[in-house]
Amino acid sequence: MYMGDYIVIERQVGPYEYRGCSVSTGTPFLAEIDRDKRHLFADQSWIRKHPSACPFLRPSGNRIVCTIHETSPVQCKAYRCAIIRIRSHDGKELGYVTGTLSLHSDDPTLMEDWRCIEPLLSAFPGNAEERITSVLIKKGYSCT
Ligand code: SF4
């Protein structure tokens, strides 16, 4: 809600693409609005009323969401509390993965399954979020 001074949009470079900058480090980034959040981003009414908020933030129902989840700056990914929430097939929350790719869970089966995922992450860095989700879904978990 107060990242508007730190994450700025410099210019629009495509229909849903923006060149942005993480001001504190001077790091540029290219952001594409997530396909499923383009209608949220298009509505400017909320962000106009909240000029201190990150320009990519939008309300969605009773939540406030990042509309560039896939392409958000590396600092955001690193500090995001939870990038994947993991549930059993019947919806029970079993744990979550943080932006630093650490599992937080007390579920012994999930912890055991995670031990198979960790070596894959160090051997093949990149697209970690997608790959973790894919493996967990194949093992019968639900990921959001
Ligand atoms: S996570 Fe998304 S909404 Fe939050 S500061 Fe980063 S880019 Fe902005």
Side-chain angles (χ1 to χ4, degrees), residues 3 7 29 54-57 65-69 72-73 76 80:
M3 292 296 281
I7 303 287
F29 63 93
C54 171
F56 293 108
L57 207 58
V65 299
C66 173
T67 58
I68 56 166
H69 188 80
S72 60
C76 296
R80 200 177 288 153

Side-chain angles (χ1 to χ4, degrees), residues 2-142:
Y2 300 98
M3 292 296 281
D5 287 341
Y6 302 99
I7 303 287
V8 299
I9 293 176
E10 292 187 329
R11 64 192 162 93
Q12 186 167 3
V13 294
Y16 299 102
E17 290 169 3
Y18 294 83
R19 186 161 295 283
C21 183
S22 297
V23 176
S24 55
T25 56
T27 314
F29 63 93
L30 189 62
E32 181 179 0
I33 308 301
D34 297 338
R35 287 180 186 279
D36 62 341
K37 301 188 192 85
R38 289 176 179 175
H39 63 293
L40 300 175
F41 184 78
D43 185 349
Q44 301 279 312
S45 55
W46 183 88
I47 197 70
R48 280 198 204 105
K49 288 184 206 153
H50 298 86
S52 301
C54 171
F56 293 108
L57 207 58
R58 292 290 186 279
S60 173
N62 57 5
R63 296 189 312 142
I64 308 280
V65 299
C66 173
T67 58
I68 56 166
H69 188 80
E70 300 294 331
T71 53
S72 60
V74 66
Q75 294 93 330
C76 296
K77 283 188 165 51
Y79 289 105
R80 200 177 288 153
C81 299
I83 58 169
I84 305 169
R85 292 200 178 274
I86 306 161
R87 293 184 171 79
S88 60
H89 66 279
D90 57 358
K92 182 183 170 208
E93 182 150 344
L94 301 175
Y96 62 92
V97 179
T98 63
T100 53
L101 304 182
S102 304
L103 173 71
H104 292 252
S105 173
D106 295 325
D107 184 82
T109 308
L110 175 56
M111 288 162 72
E112 186 59 38
D113 286 337
W114 184 257
R115 274 191 262 281
C116 306
I117 293 174
E118 270 180 326
L120 301 175
L121 297 176
S122 46
F124 307 102
N127 287 339
E129 195 171 333
E130 249 173 59
R131 289 187 301 115
I132 293 168
T133 302
S134 161
V135 172
L136 289 172
I137 287 173
K138 280 186 192 143
K139 287 180 177 287
Y141 297 99
S142 158

